[in-house]
Structure formats: C-alpha cells, structure tokens
Amino acid sequence: MFLIAGYDQQKRQSVQQGASHDIEPLNYRVRTFRDPQTALAEFSAANPRPALVVTDYAMHSMTGMELIRECRRINPRQKIVLLSGTVDESIYIKAEVKPDRFLAKPYQVSDFVTLVQSLVTD
C-alpha cells in the first residue's frame, strides 16, 4: 500500500491517476488523504505498513516534515517522499528526520512514477 497525503486536490488526483496506471499493476494499493492527521491514523493502524508514504510539505494541520517525523517515530525505516512547490531540499538539511527523496513541483507524473519505482524496488 502507498499513502499519499496532500492538501492540493488537483495534484493528489494527478498522482492517483499516475499511480493507478503505473503503480497499482505492481500489486500496490494507493490511498490518498487530504488531511495529514487522517493519513497518520491510517498509517498507525496499517498492518503491514505501507511500502511508501508520499507527503506534500504544505498542508493545513501539519507540515510534511511533521508527518515524516511522526511516521518515522512509528516505523524508523519507512520509505518517504516529500513533495513541495513552496520549499526546496534545504528545508530538511538540518532536520533530525529526513525524507528518502524530494520532488519539486511542478513535476511530470512520469518522474514521480520513476522515483516511486526506484524506492519500492530497493
């Protein structure tokens, strides 16, 4: 399973479409969430844990970095991608917990799919 958290509905739908076409055939189910608290609750309850968590940086109730920190508190080895159109990779340079990959917006869905495939096949 993949969890995708993000405030931007259009980008969530775009990622969902790309994931449905290129990721779900690899036997992964994709779940998207507007609210990071709901995504975190799903993550906490998931058994087995998702293969990948994808989060936007800018969300309404917590930042993507906060969601990353909470997911890693639950599962320190969780693979996570941070997306953003408002910050760059410097946002996590000094952070204690970092994403596995960063993807700046705007991006092509094909770039996202390639990044996801590289993480889940590691």
Side-chain angles (χ1 to χ4, degrees), residues 8 11 83-87 103-109 111-112:
D8 182 339
K11 187 53 77 174
L83 310 173
S84 184
T86 59
V87 300
L103 190 58
K105 296 180 196 174
Y107 57 83
Q108 298 296 316
V109 172
D111 293 335
F112 172 77

Side-chain angles (χ1 to χ4, degrees), residues 1 6 8-9 37 40 50 64-65 67 73 84-86 116:
M1 175 175 39
D8 182 339
Q9 180 179 2
Q37 298 289 346
L40 184 58
M65 290 302 297
L67 181 61
R73 184 181 57 75
S84 184
T86 59
V116 165

Side-chain angles (χ1 to χ4, degrees), residues 11-80:
K11 187 53 77 174
R12 275 196 333 270
Q13 288 174 338
S14 173
V15 169
Q16 174 93 37
Q17 288 171 346
S20 295
H21 182 265
D22 295 309
I23 303 300
E24 287 181 346
L26 300 174
N27 294 320
Y28 290 104
R29 190 177 59 142
V30 178
R31 299 277 320 270
T32 62
F33 300 89
R34 179 175 187 216
D35 176 52
Q37 298 289 346
T38 305
L40 184 58
E42 178 77 16
F43 178 82
S44 296
N47 186 15
R49 298 278 182 234
L52 183 66
V53 171
V54 178
T55 182
D56 197 347
Y57 177 78
M59 297 181 285
H60 61 283
S61 62
M62 70 170 55
T63 69
M65 290 302 297
E66 291 168 329
L67 181 61
I68 290 168
R69 184 185 66 232
E70 292 304 309
C71 288
R72 289 270 172 77
R73 184 181 57 75
I74 296 165
N75 180 11
R77 296 187 342 212
Q78 180 63 52
K79 293 181 181 182
I80 303 174

